[in-house]
Amino acid sequence: MLLTIDCGNTNTVFAVWDGTQFLATWRTSTETTRTADQYFVWLSTLMNIKGVKLDITDVIISSTVPRVVFNLRVLCDRYFGCRPLVVGKPDCLLPVPPRVDEGVRPGPDRLANAAGAFDRHGGDVVVVDFGTATNFDVVAHDGAYVGGVISPGVNLSLEALHQGAAALPHVDISRPEKVIGTDTVACIQSGVFWGYIGLIEGITARIRAEYGRPMKIIGTGGLAPLFAQAESLFDTVEDDLTLHGLCVIYDYNKANSSIQERA
């Protein structure tokens, strides 16, 4: 079975893929000091609770935090007896190489999003990914990642507001009942929620205008379902898009490895 690992700045997601479906998905905080042994104890315990066999034969990793990759590599070698594919490394092939400025290395999560979106929806797609940052990933007609937009994430904005303004409390993001708040918490929630609605609408409209052709808008990430409730922002919302993209990239590498062996 394949273990997919999507390591972001805030959280890391592990998911087991049996070739047809994800058997289970687990989320933990991203910590650069976590050892391979700690990863294994945590993961094997959860797999046992879920009734998933510890039969991992292959691993693929997407990480926006380079310092965690070493211990994840040790995890794969020590406990699963395999060498992981790491998206963004030279030995990890992409179905379609990105088309960006020379010397630029797009984030591996953005490359996985492009692969997953193209596999499910074809090209001419914008993926809006709600994470520590809110990323807009533009996928061309042939599946290539061709650039995008990075804006501060929702929770990051809330935390910055709380820290930068002594009188303002920390609040959880939710859809307010009305735009005009009548207390401080409601005012903050309205500003953040409707502010990000405007951000998403404005940026996707400008991307479409600049791109010059119809584009689908796909939402993913933890807060995508929340914002999808408010407006017709997205053509669809997919929680597992990045993980699916990792499976697509893995299959592509596996197929090309078989071709090279036969040659």
Side-chain angles (χ1 to χ4, degrees):
M1 290 191 294
L2 174 67
L3 176 64
T4 62
I5 305 175
D6 175 26
C7 178
N9 290 293
T10 303
N11 293 314
T12 299
V13 180
F14 292 72
V16 177
W17 175 256
D18 70 353
T20 58
Q21 64 180 334
F22 287 109
L23 299 180
T25 302
W26 302 279
R27 183 181 300 267
T28 185
S29 58
T30 299
E31 297 178 7
T32 58
T33 58
R34 183 169 293 167
T35 67
D37 299 330
Q38 289 173 316
Y39 276 122
F40 180 74
V41 170
W42 172 81
L43 183 61
S44 60
T45 300
L46 290 174
M47 291 179 71
N48 183 59
I49 292 172
K50 197 71 174 179
V52 178
K53 291 183 179 180
L54 194 63
D55 186 23
I56 304 300
T57 57
D58 297 277
V59 181
I60 183 166
I61 300 169
S62 162
S63 178
T64 58
V65 185
R67 289 179 60 192
V68 306
V69 174
F70 173 78
N71 283 323
L72 290 174
R73 285 185 182 273
V74 175
L75 168 72
C76 299
D77 177 65
R78 181 177 298 170
Y79 292 105
F80 304 134
C82 68
R83 176 184 175 86
L85 276 172
V86 180
V87 179
K89 297 298 183 182
D91 61 339
C92 183
L93 304 176
L94 297 173
V96 184
R99 290 195 294 273
V100 292
D101 292 344
E102 186 175 354
V104 172
R105 298 177 64 181
D109 55 333
R110 311 188 84 167
L111 298 174
N113 283 343
F118 183 72
D119 183 68
R120 285 179 170 171
H121 304 284
D124 298 331
V125 169
V126 180
V127 178
V128 184
D129 190 353
F130 294 86
T132 305
T134 301
N135 291 334
F136 297 75
D137 305 323
V138 180
V139 184
H141 67 282
D142 60 349
Y145 169 80
V146 294
V149 177
I150 301 175
S151 61
V154 177
N155 289 317
L156 192 63
S157 297
L158 280 168
E159 188 63 30
L161 185 63
H162 170 60
Q163 291 183 358
L168 296 182
H170 178 78
V171 302
D172 293 326
I173 181 64
S174 64
R175 180 182 178 178
E177 294 183 2
K178 51 187 179 179
V179 176
I180 301 173
T182 53
D183 59 59
T184 302
V185 170
C187 289
I188 294 173
Q189 289 177 331
S190 183
V192 172
F193 183 83
W194 294 111
Y196 269 85
I197 292 292
L199 175 102
I200 296 163
E201 287 177 331
I203 289 180
T204 53
R206 288 179 178 273
I207 289 174
R208 279 171 161 159
E210 186 173 297
Y211 196 71
R213 56 197 301 172
M215 305 186 80
K216 293 180 181 177
I217 309 297
I218 311 300
T220 191
L223 290 175
L226 172 66
F227 287 98
Q229 295 174 10
E231 304 284 334
S232 300
L233 294 178
F234 310 118
D235 291 286
T236 186
V237 172
E238 298 184 8
D239 292 337
D240 66 345
L241 184 66
T242 309
L243 297 173
H244 177 69
L246 290 178
C247 293
V248 172
I249 294 172
Y250 166 80
D251 287 341
Y252 182 78
N253 280 266
K254 201 72 171 178
N256 276 271
S257 175
S258 299
I259 292 172
Q260 291 175 359
E261 288 175 1
R262 290 198 298 270

